[in-house]
Amino acid sequence: MPVNAHPAEVGAQAPDFELQDQHGTPVRLSRFRGGKVVLVFYPLAFSGICGNELSALRDHPFEDAQVLAVSVDSVFTHRAWADREGYTFSLLSDFWPHGQVAQAYGVFDESKGFALRGTFIIDGEGVIRWSVVNPISSARDVADYVKALADIH
């Protein structure tokens, strides 16, 4: 993990943000208060590991949580990727200011200009209850999210 990455801590209030989804619609994290959120940062659209991870999220819908996926890609890139792959959850563009939300969560790799593979599960009160940050070359496992969500009441 890059020296400048210090992921947001479990037990802390999740930094609020507003980003545009693949349709250009503004999405604010605090809008989901009262429910759980799986916040997934990924490096870049149309890449192998990222595609596998997001396809796993697509194929394993969470009934009790909202999935928000974030990368530095543009809204237009997200739209093309979502349309091609059938992603129905929000793909949020952290394009400008470049990586600002990833920085707020401590998962922005400044040397590469994109987010690390960070995932944060946020409860209904906006508190981070679980997180994992994997190296760029290491995919995350959706089964870990399922278990973490089951442990949050």
Side-chain angles (χ1 to χ4, degrees):
M1 184 176 310
V3 180
N4 57 344
H6 301 287
E9 294 186 21
V10 171
Q13 192 71 31
D16 197 18
F17 61 83
E18 182 175 286
L19 296 172
Q20 289 185 340
D21 70 9
Q22 66 266 36
H23 304 288
T25 304
V27 175
R28 180 171 289 282
L29 176 64
S30 57
R31 180 180 117 208
F32 300 102
R33 289 279 169 90
K36 300 174 197 171
V37 173
V38 179
L39 180 62
V40 179
F41 290 90
Y42 62 97
L44 296 167
F46 293 102
S47 58
I49 295 173
C50 295
N52 291 338
E53 287 184 321
L54 269 60
S55 292
L57 289 170
R58 176 199 61 212
D59 298 342
H60 191 293
F62 299 104
E63 295 175 12
D64 62 340
Q66 178 71 41
V67 173
L68 302 176
V70 180
S71 82
V72 298
D73 294 298
S74 72
V75 168
F76 307 105
T77 300
H78 283 153
R79 178 65 185 263
W81 201 34
D83 287 351
R84 185 180 98 173
E85 300 298 329
Y87 301 142
T88 57
F89 48 84
S90 294
L91 301 182
L92 303 178
S93 177
D94 196 10
F95 184 75
W96 197 257
H98 190 74
Q100 184 175 6
V101 174
Q103 289 174 35
Y105 280 82
V107 294
F108 188 72
D109 186 328
E110 291 183 17
S111 68
K112 292 190 169 95
F114 51 68
L116 301 170
R117 294 186 192 287
T119 302
F120 300 86
I121 295 184
I122 302 164
D123 71 11
E125 296 175 6
V127 175
I128 299 169
R129 294 296 175 196
W130 182 87
S131 71
V132 64
V133 179
N134 284 9
I136 298 298
S137 61
S138 180
R140 293 159 287 189
D141 188 346
V142 171
D144 294 338
Y145 306 168
V146 171
K147 182 179 180 328
L149 283 166
D151 291 344
I152 298 171
H153 304 289

